[in-house]
Amino acid sequence: MLEFLALGSDPEAAKAVAQQLGGVAYLSTSGGEGRPFASIVRVATSDPSALAPADDLGRYLVYSRTMRSHPHNWTGPNPTPGLVAAFGMVRRDGMTHAQSDAHWRDVHAPLALRIHIGMWAYTQCSIVERFSGEDYDGIALCGFGSEDDLRLRFFDGPEGQQAIRDDVASFADTSRSPRRVLCQEWTFR
């Protein structure tokens, strides 16, 4: 599905925009310096200018691929249970966006679904067009039912952890891809 994605520094503005437009807001739960964004808004809209209060760090047109859905759907005004780990992805040098994206979709996703045993939701937001912000190729949204699932069941074991690391390095530049941001998901659809 084609959607707009807004990256911002103001979680309250992101929540308000997502609610107004009937979208989804991901609001950072982690404080501290160095995080690449504090909020994400995902929404299908014919008026991308409505994202302005929430897109001070970037606005993108993305193709969202749901690789695994939540076991249930929740709506506002409360957040979805659990946490979402948002990972920005920059393709590896020497690869085109299309090559990196195809590997992410066709090779990495099935591997991630098998190895990330605690992950109950997984959406890949492949960047189709960047209007402003960092030059990302995609944002992965990995949902976990609890903090324990994220901490203790992110990998199925040391071999799986190494397989994920090796695979990510084959299509993404891990030194240029931003660190993960832990978020609460607010759904207003």
Side-chain angles (χ1 to χ4, degrees), residues 78-178:
N78 299 313
T80 300
L83 292 172
V84 174
F87 297 88
M89 190 269 288
V90 176
R91 72 180 173 272
R92 193 184 82 193
D93 284 341
M95 293 186 91
T96 66
H97 171 79
Q99 291 168 327
S100 177
D101 190 56
H103 185 99
W104 188 29
R105 179 191 63 234
D106 299 334
V107 178
H108 184 75
L111 184 68
L113 291 171
R114 190 178 81 243
I115 290 175
H116 295 315
I117 58 175
M119 186 171 64
W120 73 349
Y122 180 33
T123 299
Q124 294 179 338
C125 298
S126 177
I127 308 281
V128 174
E129 185 172 348
R130 175 175 60 101
F131 298 99
S132 64
E134 295 292 325
D135 195 12
Y136 299 136
D137 288 276
I139 305 277
L141 301 169
C142 305
F144 295 85
S146 69
E147 190 174 337
D148 281 346
D149 283 342
L150 174 62
R151 270 189 313 106
L152 304 173
R153 300 181 65 226
F154 193 70
F155 300 106
D156 63 357
E159 295 85 11
Q161 183 175 11
Q162 190 60 51
I164 289 290
R165 284 187 177 148
D166 292 345
D167 186 60
V168 168
S170 75
F171 71 92
D173 184 333
T174 57
S175 67
R176 291 188 304 144
S177 297

